[in-house]
Amino acid sequence: MLRWILGGREAQGTVEKSAALFIGEEQPKNCFTEMQVLKGHFDIVRFLVQIDDLRFASAGDDGLVLIWNVETGDCLIELRGHTQQITAMISYTFIRGGNAHTALITASSDRTLSLWDPDSGNRVQNISDLQSPVKCLLVLVCLDVWLSGGNELCVWNRDFELQCKTVHHSDAGISAMVELPKNFIAAAMDKEIVIFKLNLSGSDIAVMAMRHLADHQDTIHSLIHINDGLFASGSHIGELIIWDSVDWTIQAYEHILWEEPARDGQSEFKLNHQKQIERSIQHMSSDGEYIVAAIGSGLYVYNVLMKSVVAYRRIAHDSNVLHTVLQQDGRLMSCSEDGSVRMWELQDLPLPAEPASSGFFGMFGTFGRSSKQTGPPAKKIPEVPGLRSLELIGDLIGHSGAVQMFLSFKEKGLVTCSTDHLLIIWKDGEFQSQLRSLAVFQKLEENQEL
Amino acid sequence: MIGSPDVVALTKEDDFGDSFTDPCSLPEEFSVPLFAHAANANPWTKTSYAKFSKDFILVSEFSEQVGPQPLITIPNDPKVCGTFDLNYFSLRIMSVDYQASFVGHPPGSNYPKLNFVEDSKVVLGDSKEGAFAYVHHLTLYDLEARGFVRPFCLAYISADERKIMHQFQELSSEFSKASEFLKSGNRKAFANELEKKLKDLEYTRLVLHKETELQKMNNGCYSTQAIEKANELANVEKSIYEHKDLLRQITSYPSRKKKDVDFIQQETEKPADMSVIDDTLNSHHSDIADKTVETESKSRKSSYTPQLIKAKSAKCFDKRLKTMEELCDASFFHQTLEQLNIIEKSFRGDLCLIYTSQIDRALLSKQSVTSFLFEAERDWEYGGTSKNFSISSNNPTVPILNLSGEPLSLDSYTTCIDVDHIKPGVESMEGPPESSTSDITQETSEAADTETKGSFSSDKSIEAFGGVSPSSLQANYFDGLERKSKVSIASPSENASSSVAVPQRTSDGNLVPMDAACCIGQDGFIFEEPLPELAQECCGDTVVNQEPLSFLQGDPALQVDYTFEESALAESPNMGLTFSELNTEEVAKINIEDVSDSTSFMSASTSSDRAVSLFTYGSALTLKQKKKAGHSALRFIRQYPFAQQAIFCLLSGRTLVILGVDEGTVRKLVNALFIFVPNLGKYGETVQPWLSSPFQLTDLQRWKLIGLQRAASPAGSSILHSLNRYSRYISILDCDNKTLRCPPYKGTLVSHLADHRTQIKRGSTYFLHVQGMLTQLTAKAFLYTFCHHIHLPMDINDQGSVTSRRTNFLLQLSYTVEESKIVHYLSELIKQHYIQGSSKGGNQSFCFNYTTSYLYKI
């Protein structure tokens, strides 16, 4: 694009390669025409948590938690206390005095857990000298307790009192947790999913492991709640398993093998190719019906109810996709290590003509794990009914480092956080302009200058 | 002797009777009263019968020793007053029966009492002299004066009666400020004086007491000597009591009758200024000063050694009375002079002109909502006028001999030379004129005065012309004048053959009354003059082209010229513009652009490096620089066919990056384009003229025009990388390859603004053109911003219709889609500015569009 500046030495190939993804500067469907850069962090910003309609918190490797106003972009409060990077952050809403209060729970590598009041900036509670750093947090609203997962699973009440804990000797520890019905918890520990049960007897809570689900071949990176009946897990080698929440049985198994376009069908080299292509499931998100999985630098949309793939794009980004979100209107967003956020739209294919070449994905039955070795059937897109295409409708370029996460405030904007220590609020320029007009007239009225 | 001066009644007509107002007519406050046109009347001749050439300020005193006497004139150029009899006029103005404060022993009181009287303000006309004056009387306290008071008056003298009458309110408030400075300083000085006197008295009492005791011891209680001593002691006691009472009165002066809002504002601004003048004085507020009198006097006690004095000070008429400067604290006195200079400057010129500038100012102050976009910040230009003036008043005034007969040629001659060759450094080197002028009446100052002037003129200033010492003025004025006029008329022809001939004559003319130093100075001035051709041309031009010279006498253009030269651009930009136009039009009908540009705008740098030196980041941008930029912009538009696209980018808020290897070239382009950057900021914050490191995203938010270095180094490649990455937010003007990559522009607006076939020849004209167009654009943006019906939603879920109404509105203003973006961007700026106030705080958001860019080539 800027080859004339760079002296035309840019490799043609790379341009051609991403040509399908290059949307250009004309993006009529991209409403984000205003940005606000928020500075405040000194290191990678990894977590964004929404507090209410107006506020969100950001945290990262500098141990700082900053509370921002999404409308003005002002940093409201700095929460200082952690000496090392923050490993998990969650909002915790509880009722006190008839009013709902939202607090923040943060976990840090310095083996502390803190409860913050985002209104006053006070560190309300603090627990230090934990045996292991906490990697994930989960709030159980119905029980009014919260869980921390590290090498062991701990259950805490609202006042930061340890209710019970499990002892695990796995080095990997718990990397993700999902709440299941009937006070069950699913926790991802390396290659296993462990089902815990919380037993309530009076005011005492006990936790015990119920079952170990060891169907994944590799480390589980992602564990999400789909709907009341299902949850999903994704592993490092591209295994996507849909589980039943109640009886913990496998509802669907997908082993997604991104493959190079089969030029000659020589399977001898396929393994090499497969290894070169990153197919780790980094992140998943769901709206209850669809799952979008970030697999390597690609995106994969799966319909849970139909148990079928909806759309996929093998190379959606120039680098690994770190976070995805499915929106209500059939659009999805993804952010990546390449520093961009991309917006996609699910579009019906005009004809069953194949898109360019084909990524390949393996499709197996519910218990088809054993058939993996048989080799995938030849790619036949028309065989998949209702396959749609994932069209790029816009991208947000601003960060100079990997975009770690984003948080949508609907029409108020979209917040992204990045390795470059910055946060950016992307806003709908037209909407903001109208808001400003209203503010102007309001001020005119206040000043009685109308 | 004291006649009946015709005090003009101050009545204002209240015309509230008219109910019908023509909606198209200008509001009352903006209308300029028309000149009362009588048949064949030359509007400019009416000043001719006055014996002075232009308005001036006279400070007079009613001295108890010699009667009314003039002290200071402002401007301190003796030629301004001409043959006008200052002594006589002082008598006239001082004899106006103003409410003299009664100080002394009022009936029923044993002790002298100070009256804090209000100043009196009257208008006085002297039809015989053709002089009309606003007279502001005030009294200062002097312990040695009769009744402790010294009556002074400040008078604004003009030949135009209407000016005095119409500007009475403004004059009154301005002079009140000056008077207030004087009086505050005087109170302080008076209190100090009292303190000293008290010390003396107490010391005297002590000595007397000792002596009395001694005599009592020696001679017994009732010896005559002892009685005398006792009486003396009693007198001293009484005197001490009286003085203590006076001190109490002066220090308990009602802290201030803060009626005058202007004055309060002035006060708030002043301290910073004054601290520059006098660092040793830690507090300058008069009320604070009053309070600090005691503490200061305490500190002085150690330094002051009391003297033995007589209890009853005899009224000694041979005693030298204190000068005005001594009466007031020095810093207050200088501040007063400064204020008077400001008054003189702001009321200079024809009434029309004052009206126009006042209206101009009033209008501009109402435009604060939009004026930040393309005009310099108002608060800086107006609120801080005194500051500006204090700077400019340090520069020597350019003496203009616009007296009857010959003013223009010489005048414009000085103008050319001055603007061209006097470096700013030289100007600032020369001392403030006030220092030598305040003691006009003192004979002794003559020598020193002449000497300093002489040394000035060696700095190739034309000051020597005005260096006629005041005392010698009356005698040789006509003589010198005559010769000078000869010189100026003859000089063109003479100059053609030899430039040396001119100074010969000039110095001849002045040789008789003046010091040798002056002549040397003048010789030096001419010899060092580096561009005689230009000077000749100017002179030739003016003398030949602008013939009936006498007709032009009193022409406002002259005064205009004068104003322009002195106050430069500290005043309203529009005024400055007009003046410069007039100036250049009249002085030089030279078609060489560079020359005309440099004569009118550049004072220092040479044409080769001026583009580089023009834009200095971090210093306030002056209108001068902007007008200079007009020339560069004109050149840019002629040179680059895609200038319109570049200007469109700037106007629509898309950051324009000028990429190039050579810093000079890049800076030149930045200088050419910065006048199109909306919301440029006081210091041009939104422009980065030269950047050699990769820019960040936040920089795009901050800077709208960036000069960027193209380098082959690794840093260079990272710069290119950032260019590539943010290419959707920026437009890139590559000045090495002469290409521009930016969104397309369709429309007529920018093509009117930047027509490469424009007939406009000169940079200043082009700048005016641009200003006009941008003002028009700003007006549209204002309209767009503040139109209710297009922005307010009909109901809550009504976003779509607002959008379409907005679009339709802009289309109705016959703007294309691209031009709508400009208006939209300006409107957003206006909104943000209005909501947040002028403060640039807060986290600004950065708007952009997703549009395809194209590559334009020459």
Side-chain angles (χ1 to χ4, degrees):
Chain A
M1 167 178 44
L2 277 190
R3 245 175 295 150
W4 58 276
I5 290 180
L6 300 166
R9 296 193 309 143
E10 193 182 335
Q12 283 293 111
T14 57
V15 175
E16 297 301 318
K17 206 169 145 190
S18 59
L21 284 175
F22 178 63
I23 181 164
E25 287 160 333
E26 198 90 41
Q27 302 179 6
K29 286 182 181 175
N30 187 348
C31 66
F32 295 107
T33 55
E34 197 171 307
M35 71 162 95
Q36 207 167 2
V37 181
L38 312 182
K39 287 179 171 175
H41 282 285
F42 305 105
D43 210 332
I44 300 172
V45 191
R46 294 187 190 272
F47 302 102
L48 294 171
V49 166
Q50 183 167 357
I51 296 168
D52 50 34
D53 286 347
L54 214 58
R55 294 179 297 167
F56 65 94
S58 65
D61 288 3
D62 54 4
L64 273 180
V65 180
L66 303 181
I67 313 278
W68 306 86
N69 180 325
V70 73
E71 281 182 357
T72 63
D74 294 334
C75 180
L76 302 172
I77 287 174
E78 280 188 24
L79 310 179
R80 292 172 181 273
H82 288 298
T83 56
Q84 286 182 44
Q85 64 192 55
I86 285 166
T87 51
M89 177 164 69
I90 199 165
S91 68
Y92 180 31
T93 306
F94 53 89
I95 309 291
R96 184 166 286 173
N99 296 319
H101 290 271
T102 301
L104 280 175
I105 301 172
T106 54
S108 162
S109 294
D110 60 8
R111 298 187 181 186
T112 56
L113 279 168
S114 297
L115 181 77
W116 307 88
D117 178 8
D119 299 317
S120 64
N122 291 333
R123 194 178 194 172
V124 182
Q125 301 280 356
N126 188 42
I127 294 161
S128 50
D129 302 325
L130 293 172
Q131 286 176 357
S132 63
V134 172
K135 287 181 185 168
C136 57
L137 294 165
L138 180 68
V139 171
L140 301 182
V141 179
C142 54
L143 299 179
D144 201 16
V145 294
W146 56 277
L147 286 69
S148 66
N151 284 356
E152 66 269 307
L153 179 75
C154 302
V155 182
W156 311 79
N157 71 2
R158 184 202 288 178
D159 300 319
F160 263 57
E161 289 158 355
L162 182 64
Q163 303 296 306
C164 57
K165 68 175 185 177
T166 61
V167 179
H168 288 282
H169 305 290
S170 152
D171 284 343
I174 297 167
S175 60
M177 287 185 290
V178 166
E179 182 183 3
L180 300 180
K182 300 176 188 168
N183 298 339
F184 285 99
I185 306 291
M189 299 174 70
D190 197 17
K191 294 176 188 174
E192 287 186 339
I193 294 174
V194 184
I195 307 292
F196 292 101
K197 181 170 172 56
L198 292 181
N199 283 323
L200 286 95
S201 54
S203 62
D204 292 335
I205 299 175
V207 64
M208 56 183 286
M210 297 294 289
R211 178 141 2 142
H212 290 251
L213 307 172
D215 293 286
H216 276 291
Q217 300 274 305
D218 207 337
T219 313
I220 297 165
H221 285 308
S222 176
L223 180 68
I224 60 157
H225 170 91
I226 298 171
N227 52 34
D228 288 342
L230 297 169
F231 68 99
S233 61
S235 79
H236 187 70
I237 51 165
E239 299 159 301
L240 169 65
I241 301 180
I242 315 284
W243 305 86
D244 189 292
S245 297
V246 180
D247 57 13
W248 317 311
T249 54
I250 294 178
Q251 295 296 307
Y253 181 98
E254 297 284 336
H255 191 181
I256 298 147
L257 299 166
W258 292 140
E259 284 187 12
E260 285 290 284
R263 293 187 197 90
D264 46 9
Q266 285 177 343
S267 53
E268 289 90 339
F269 297 103
K270 259 184 189 171
L271 284 171
N272 291 335
H273 282 302
Q274 283 170 12
K275 276 183 184 155
Q276 280 167 6
I277 295 169
E278 185 68 59
R279 53 202 168 114
S280 158
I281 298 181
Q282 302 289 336
H283 187 266
M284 288 192 291
S285 62
S286 169
D287 63 351
E289 182 181 357
Y290 293 100
I291 294 179
V292 57
I295 302 170
S297 57
L299 290 173
Y300 183 89
V301 184
Y302 187 79
N303 188 328
V304 181
L305 307 179
M306 309 291 292
K307 295 193 173 60
S308 66
V309 62
V310 176
Y312 65 94
R313 202 174 257 280
R314 197 167 54 86
I315 299 173
H317 277 274
D318 297 335
S319 190
N320 281 349
V321 178
L322 297 178
H323 193 85
T324 53
V325 156
L326 256 173
Q327 288 171 319
Q328 304 301 324
D329 49 1
R331 293 185 179 185
L332 58 104
M333 277 185 166
S334 60
C335 66
S336 150
E337 284 174 359
D338 65 8
S340 67
V341 176
R342 289 188 168 158
M343 289 173 283
W344 309 87
E345 194 172 53
L346 284 171
Q347 290 176 353
D348 291 324
L349 286 175
L351 283 169
E354 343 187 336
S357 71
S358 53
F360 178 73
F361 50 92
M363 252 192 89
F364 306 95
T366 310
F367 297 98
R369 227 189 78 220
S370 54
S371 68
K372 191 166 70 87
Q373 291 86 346
T374 61
K379 59 277 159 188
K380 289 209 175 66
I381 303 305
E383 277 183 1
V384 185
L387 187 72
R388 301 164 85 187
S389 75
L390 209 51
E391 287 302 315
L392 182 63
I393 56 165
D395 59 349
L396 307 178
I397 293 177
H399 285 294
S400 54
V403 181
Q404 296 287 339
M405 196 180 168
F406 55 86
L407 180 65
S408 176
F409 275 85
K410 301 275 169 12
E411 75 281 357
K412 285 201 180 93
L414 177 84
V415 188
T416 56
C417 65
S418 158
T419 311
D420 63 5
H421 314 174
L422 298 178
L423 287 96
I424 298 181
I425 307 179
W426 305 83
K427 292 175 177 176
D428 181 346
E430 176 66 27
F431 180 67
Q432 292 298 322
S433 167
Q434 293 180 11
L435 287 182
R436 274 194 289 272
S437 283
L438 291 178
V440 162
F441 288 114
Q442 197 179 345
K443 187 171 177 184
L444 278 171
E445 208 163 340
E446 279 167 14
N447 297 352
Q448 300 183 332
E449 287 175 291
L450 270 178
Chain B
M1 187 76 181
I2 299 175
S4 60
D6 22 350
V7 178
V8 187
L10 279 165
T11 52
K12 273 206 165 178
E13 295 157 38
D14 294 313
D15 284 329
F16 295 116
D18 294 13
S19 56
F20 172 75
T21 45
D22 182 6
C24 299
S25 67
L26 272 173
E28 179 66 27
E29 64 266 33
F30 298 146
S31 64
V32 178
L34 294 172
F35 177 72
H37 183 71
N40 296 328
N42 179 352
W44 316 120
T45 52
K46 69 187 169 124
T47 57
S48 61
Y49 56 87
K51 288 176 180 166
F52 49 93
S53 57
K54 56 180 211 151
D55 302 355
F56 64 97
I57 293 170
L58 175 67
V59 181
S60 309
E61 179 196 0
F62 195 105
S63 162
E64 61 191 59
Q65 289 173 349
V66 298
Q69 60 170 348
L71 298 178
I72 305 166
T73 58
I74 290 169
N76 181 37
D77 185 4
K79 287 168 195 65
V80 168
C81 332
T83 57
F84 187 69
D85 190 343
L86 289 178
N87 283 310
Y88 172 70
F89 204 76
S90 294
L91 171 67
R92 293 290 306 266
I93 58 179
M94 290 307 293
S95 60
V96 177
D97 182 29
Y98 77 101
Q99 40 175 145
S101 60
F102 182 84
V103 183
H105 299 261
S109 163
N110 289 326
Y111 306 115
K113 198 148 170 55
L114 290 179
N115 264 344
F116 298 108
V117 283
E118 293 286 327
D119 299 350
S120 76
K121 304 155 185 178
V122 290
V123 172
L124 173 123
D126 188 333
S127 40
K128 201 164 60 186
E129 294 275 325
F132 296 88
Y134 163 86
V135 188
H136 191 110
H137 289 101
L138 70 150
T139 51
L140 299 180
Y141 301 111
D142 183 357
L143 204 52
E144 286 151 18
R146 194 160 47 194
F148 302 128
V149 286
R150 304 264 305 266
F152 285 90
C153 94
L154 313 170
Y156 187 89
I157 300 165
S158 169
D160 188 355
E161 180 191 349
R162 293 186 314 136
K163 182 164 161 182
I164 303 286
M165 296 306 291
H166 286 290
Q167 298 295 312
F168 182 80
Q169 285 305 329
E170 288 80 4
L171 281 167
S172 163
S173 75
E174 291 301 307
F175 272 101
S176 295
K177 285 177 200 168
S179 158
E180 213 46 54
F181 289 139
L182 274 180
K183 289 196 287 184
S184 322
N186 172 246
R187 276 194 300 275
K188 195 182 167 203
F190 186 63
N192 280 339
E193 206 184 355
L194 276 171
E195 289 270 350
K196 278 186 193 172
K197 186 75 180 283
L198 271 173
K199 293 248 75 170
D200 290 348
L201 285 169
E202 270 159 16
Y203 178 72
T204 311
R205 184 177 63 179
L206 196 72
V207 171
L208 280 175
H209 197 73
K210 274 180 189 163
E211 283 177 5
T212 321
E213 290 297 309
L214 204 70
Q215 283 193 339
K216 271 186 197 166
M217 297 260 285
N218 292 344
N219 303 337
C221 294
Y222 301 105
S223 72
T224 45
Q225 281 169 322
I227 290 168
E228 259 176 38
K229 284 285 172 195
N231 281 340
E232 214 177 319
L233 196 61
N235 275 336
V236 171
E237 294 280 1
K238 184 174 179 255
S239 192
I240 287 176
Y241 197 87
E242 282 177 10
H243 280 86
K244 275 190 177 160
D245 192 60
L246 280 177
L247 185 63
R248 183 191 53 77
Q249 288 180 41
I250 198 81
T251 49
S252 66
Y253 173 75
S255 59
R256 169 75 38 80
K257 295 133 193 166
K258 289 183 176 171
K259 289 172 194 165
D260 200 340
V261 182
D262 289 340
F263 187 74
I264 294 164
Q265 285 172 353
Q266 185 77 7
E267 279 289 288
T268 52
E269 283 165 20
K270 276 300 163 185
D273 293 357
M274 290 173 65
S275 61
V276 180
I277 299 165
D278 189 354
D279 289 333
T280 57
L281 218 67
N282 41 14
S283 148
H284 311 278
H285 272 285
S286 48
D287 31 355
I288 302 169
D290 287 341
K291 286 173 201 155
T292 52
V293 159
E294 282 178 79
T295 52
E296 269 187 46
S297 60
K298 267 173 203 158
S299 65
R300 279 181 199 177
K301 270 174 191 168
S302 53
S303 60
Y304 180 70
T305 45
Q307 294 165 326
L308 194 63
I309 52 161
K310 295 210 166 184
K312 287 249 172 182
S313 59
K315 301 285 181 210
C316 37
F317 286 94
D318 53 335
K319 198 173 158 191
R320 191 187 71 93
L321 282 171
K322 288 196 180 73
T323 63
M324 205 169 173
E325 189 166 2
E326 286 167 322
L327 275 179
C328 308
D329 194 278
S331 68
F332 282 96
F333 180 71
H334 287 299
Q335 203 173 352
T336 312
L337 285 181
E338 209 171 275
Q339 168 68 12
L340 291 178
N341 274 312
I342 290 169
I343 296 172
E344 197 271 324
K345 275 185 192 117
S346 54
F347 289 96
R348 195 182 281 168
D350 192 75
L351 182 60
C352 252
L353 193 71
I354 297 171
Y355 262 122
T356 319
S357 67
Q358 278 172 354
I359 290 168
D360 196 32
R361 227 167 296 178
L363 281 172
L364 284 172
S365 69
K366 290 189 178 180
Q367 284 184 354
S368 60
V369 175
T370 53
S371 58
F372 72 98
L373 284 177
F374 292 108
E375 286 161 68
E377 303 245 336
R378 287 304 133 198
D379 51 355
W380 170 60
E381 296 229 335
Y382 290 113
T385 33
S386 56
K387 206 165 189 172
N388 286 336
F389 279 118
S390 74
I391 293 159
S392 63
S393 68
N394 283 333
N395 301 333
T397 51
V398 181
I400 305 281
L401 305 166
N402 47 0
L403 283 161
S404 55
E406 48 74 51
L408 192 62
S409 56
L410 196 60
D411 181 0
S412 49
Y413 182 65
T414 50
T415 308
C416 300
I417 289 164
D418 224 65
V419 170
D420 259 358
H421 311 301
I422 297 178
K423 302 228 160 30
V426 176
E427 286 175 29
S428 56
M429 247 173 64
E430 291 166 343
E434 291 94 314
S435 59
S436 58
T437 59
S438 50
D439 312 307
I440 269 181
T441 48
Q442 289 189 7
E443 293 290 310
T444 47
S445 70
E446 185 197 331
D449 198 21
T450 336
E451 216 172 277
T452 42
K453 296 284 183 188
S455 67
F456 284 168
S457 54
S458 66
D459 289 320
K460 67 194 174 213
S461 144
I462 202 148
E463 194 80 52
F465 282 131
V468 189
S469 62
S471 60
S472 62
L473 164 79
Q474 303 293 342
N476 64 44
Y477 182 69
F478 282 108
D479 190 30
L481 195 62
E482 194 186 317
R483 279 161 197 270
K484 277 178 207 152
S485 58
K486 263 189 210 163
V487 167
S488 59
I489 292 162
S491 56
S493 54
E494 294 270 351
N495 258 356
S497 54
S498 96
S499 59
V500 188
V502 183
Q504 279 314 118
R505 280 178 163 267
T506 326
S507 48
D508 276 355
N510 284 337
L511 249 182
V512 190
M514 285 176 72
D515 245 322
C518 264
C519 307
I520 295 162
Q522 281 178 356
D523 284 356
F525 146 64
I526 295 289
F527 284 136
E528 282 175 38
E529 196 234 298
L531 264 177
E533 312 88 349
L534 177 64
Q536 279 171 30
E537 217 171 329
C538 294
C539 285
D541 247 43
T542 41
V543 171
V544 176
N545 291 345
Q546 305 191 335
E547 247 165 332
L549 286 172
S550 56
F551 181 78
L552 283 160
Q553 161 260 337
D555 191 299
L558 282 180
Q559 292 172 334
V560 152
D561 223 335
Y562 189 62
T563 320
F564 171 65
E565 285 307 323
E566 275 189 55
S567 60
L569 298 145
E571 285 164 80
S572 136
N574 291 352
M575 258 164 95
L577 286 179
T578 338
F579 298 157
S580 72
E581 286 307 300
L582 285 166
N583 182 25
T584 43
E585 295 284 347
E586 295 205 358
V587 170
K589 301 221 158 60
I590 309 165
N591 278 334
I592 312 160
E593 262 185 50
D594 279 353
V595 175
S596 70
D597 270 317
S598 60
T599 46
S600 48
F601 305 124
M602 294 303 294
S603 56
S605 51
T606 58
S607 57
S608 61
D609 65 352
R610 64 166 192 256
V612 178
S613 63
L614 179 67
F615 203 103
T616 44
Y617 191 70
S619 63
L621 282 170
T622 60
L623 192 68
K624 210 173 186 175
Q625 287 173 312
K626 288 190 179 179
K627 285 198 285 184
K628 187 66 207 71
H631 176 65
S632 317
L634 196 56
R635 202 184 279 172
F636 172 74
I637 286 157
R638 294 230 181 90
Q639 219 173 335
Y640 294 88
F642 48 72
Q644 290 180 12
Q645 276 80 10
I647 291 167
F648 165 69
C649 287
L650 292 172
L651 288 177
S652 59
R654 190 181 172 104
T655 301
L656 180 66
V657 176
I658 297 172
L659 185 69
V661 174
D662 175 41
E663 180 171 353
T665 322
V666 171
R667 278 184 183 268
K668 235 177 230 173
L669 281 174
V670 171
N671 285 338
L673 285 167
F674 82 89
I675 51 170
F676 299 102
V677 178
N679 192 18
L680 187 62
K682 183 172 155 189
Y683 301 102
E685 299 96 316
T686 43
V687 176
Q688 171 59 265
W690 183 243
L691 185 71
S692 46
S693 56
F695 56 85
Q696 309 295 320
L697 188 66
T698 42
D699 296 337
L700 294 182
Q701 205 169 337
R702 213 160 20 135
W703 296 323
K704 293 296 166 198
L705 177 60
I706 302 176
L708 191 67
Q709 182 179 28
R710 182 208 299 269
S713 62
S717 68
S718 67
I719 285 174
L720 290 179
H721 179 260
S722 60
L723 276 184
N724 204 348
R725 178 149 194 92
Y726 301 123
S727 63
R728 67 169 57 170
Y729 307 124
I730 54 176
S731 298
I732 302 164
L733 176 61
D734 186 333
C735 54
D736 301 326
N737 301 324
K738 306 248 187 285
T739 56
L740 174 71
R741 187 187 166 280
C742 72
Y745 167 74
K746 290 181 206 74
T748 51
L749 184 83
V750 180
S751 59
H752 285 315
L753 193 64
D755 182 7
H756 71 276
R757 287 186 299 272
T758 178
Q759 295 297 311
I760 298 171
K761 292 275 189 296
R762 288 217 318 270
S764 55
T765 320
Y766 181 68
F767 177 74
L768 284 178
H769 171 68
V770 170
Q771 281 283 303
M773 296 288 291
L774 293 180
T775 307
Q776 208 178 338
L777 196 59
T778 309
K780 293 276 171 63
F782 179 86
L783 191 64
Y784 173 68
T785 312
F786 291 101
C787 258
H788 268 94
H789 70 278
I790 56 167
H791 296 297
L792 297 179
M794 298 297 182
D795 55 74
I796 302 156
N797 308 314
D798 190 32
Q799 238 112 87
S801 81
V802 170
T803 312
S804 66
R805 267 179 285 154
R806 286 171 162 219
T807 321
N808 287 335
F809 184 81
L810 286 172
L811 288 177
Q812 277 169 16
L813 288 175
S814 69
Y815 282 132
T816 62
V817 179
E818 285 85 11
E819 285 160 354
S820 300
K821 279 180 192 163
I822 299 178
V823 179
H824 193 80
Y825 174 64
L826 296 183
S827 165
E828 289 305 309
L829 286 176
I830 292 170
K831 281 189 243 171
Q832 281 181 0
H833 190 261
Y834 183 77
I835 294 168
Q836 299 176 354
S838 53
S839 65
K840 297 270 165 61
N843 198 340
Q844 301 280 333
S845 47
F846 163 55
C847 303
F848 48 88
N849 291 301
Y850 297 105
T851 41
T852 314
S853 289
Y854 294 95
L855 187 64
Y856 294 87
K857 288 175 184 161
I858 273 194

